[in-house]
Amino acid sequence: VDELFTEYVNETAMEYEEKTLEAKYGDFKSLMREYEEGILLFEATKINVWDKANQDTVGLKIYYDKNKTEYIWPEKSAISEFKISGVDNKTAEKIYKYAAKQDVAKVEKKFNKKSTVVQITNKELESGAKELNGLLWKKGAVSELMSEASGKDFTFKKIMDIIPSKQKTLSEARGYVVADYQDFLEKEWLNTLSKEFNVVIYKDVLNTLTVSYTHKKLPIRELSE
């Protein structure tokens, strides 16, 4: 019974202490208020901005249509990377010169009859990409023939075409559009709040506050700044 009573007293005392923390400790009260208001702000922003931007497909489409000129694919190059394997330098040079003048299909048909001598990888790259170093920005440009350590493997690149700049579709630009739409919704929400609630700033009181910086007392800047 004594043990149970002691346990009950301890639990009751702890509950009472927890209930009176904010009354006894001003800093703790301020911290809890800040925490609660932070949660409320997070939830309000989630409902009015983040979730709405992802779920409001009609609003997102309207926003995209009004601002579609902001979402453009830059000019790109369609390149083919050639890897020549298991041949001597003379044969590699022959393939290189042929590929410089012919398309991919003809290269594969001519040199991959019995085995895969030439492996070709196609890519689309924007101007300035590291993989384009040493290549002129024009259709048909070919890089130097490079020999790998084995001496029987060779590589080079060729720009097959220059793809002009074009409009991104909504699906292609969705991530960017959603982010911009969220910014738009947040500004609209804040404008609505500012019209609904009148905020009064007492600058004379605000200017009496000070902050410590490098051991000096500096007045806080006015909110208008």
Side-chain angles (χ1 to χ4, degrees), residues 63-77:
Y63 179 83
Y64 165 78
D65 289 338
K66 288 182 178 179
N67 301 276
K68 60 170 58 179
T69 55
E70 299 294 322
Y71 309 104
I72 304 293
W73 284 116
E75 187 177 62
K76 294 182 179 181
S77 62

Side-chain angles (χ1 to χ4, degrees), residues 7-186:
E7 185 177 343
Y8 166 76
V9 169
N10 290 338
E11 290 179 358
T12 305
M14 186 62 70
E15 289 176 2
Y16 174 78
E17 183 67 17
E18 289 176 354
K19 291 178 180 178
T20 59
L21 281 174
E22 293 187 24
K24 294 172 66 175
Y25 305 103
D27 290 343
F28 179 76
K29 181 180 180 180
S30 299
L31 180 63
M32 289 301 296
R33 180 179 177 181
E34 183 179 346
Y35 180 71
E36 290 170 1
E37 291 177 349
I39 292 175
L40 287 174
L41 177 60
F42 177 87
E43 288 299 324
T45 306
K46 182 175 182 293
I47 293 170
N48 291 284
V49 178
W50 303 327
D51 288 351
K52 187 174 180 180
N54 283 288
Q55 297 169 5
D56 182 14
T57 54
V58 175
L60 187 68
K61 179 66 167 59
I62 293 172
Y63 179 83
Y64 165 78
D65 289 338
K66 288 182 178 179
N67 301 276
K68 60 170 58 179
T69 55
E70 299 294 322
Y71 309 104
I72 304 293
W73 284 116
E75 187 177 62
K76 294 182 179 181
S77 62
I79 74 163
S80 293
E81 294 182 340
F82 294 79
K83 183 175 182 180
I84 307 169
S85 303
V87 299
D88 56 29
N89 190 66
K90 184 177 180 180
T91 304
E93 287 282 355
K94 180 181 178 181
I95 296 172
Y96 173 71
K97 290 179 180 179
Y98 185 84
K101 298 179 181 179
Q102 303 297 334
D103 59 35
V104 169
K106 289 184 178 180
V107 174
E108 290 180 317
K109 183 177 180 180
K110 182 175 179 65
F111 297 102
N112 289 345
K113 293 179 180 179
K114 296 181 180 180
S115 61
T116 305
V117 176
V118 184
Q119 293 180 324
I120 302 169
T121 304
N122 298 312
K123 295 181 178 180
E124 290 185 1
L125 299 173
E126 296 178 13
S127 176
K130 291 183 179 180
E131 293 176 76
L132 293 174
N133 288 346
L135 266 172
L136 293 176
W137 187 259
K138 68 176 184 177
K139 183 177 179 179
V142 183
S143 67
E144 294 182 2
L145 180 65
M146 304 296 294
S147 174
E148 297 189 359
S150 64
K152 292 187 177 182
D153 292 329
F154 305 84
T155 60
F156 66 95
K157 300 180 183 72
K158 180 180 178 181
I159 295 182
M160 309 305 293
D161 198 7
I162 300 296
I163 304 169
S165 175
K166 64 177 182 178
Q167 179 72 54
K168 289 183 181 180
T169 64
L170 177 56
S171 60
E172 290 172 333
R174 183 176 177 80
Y176 296 102
V177 179
V178 169
D180 292 341
Y181 188 43
Q182 286 177 342
D183 291 340
F184 170 78
L185 289 175
E186 185 174 7

Side-chain angles (χ1 to χ4, degrees), residues 197-223:
F197 301 99
N198 183 36
V199 178
V200 179
I201 300 171
Y202 298 98
K203 292 186 178 181
D204 54 338
V205 177
L206 180 63
N207 290 333
T208 61
L209 300 176
T210 58
V211 290
S212 178
Y213 180 69
T214 61
H215 305 293
K216 293 181 180 180
K217 292 294 184 178
L218 300 175
I220 291 181
R221 294 179 180 176
E222 289 191 4
L223 194 61

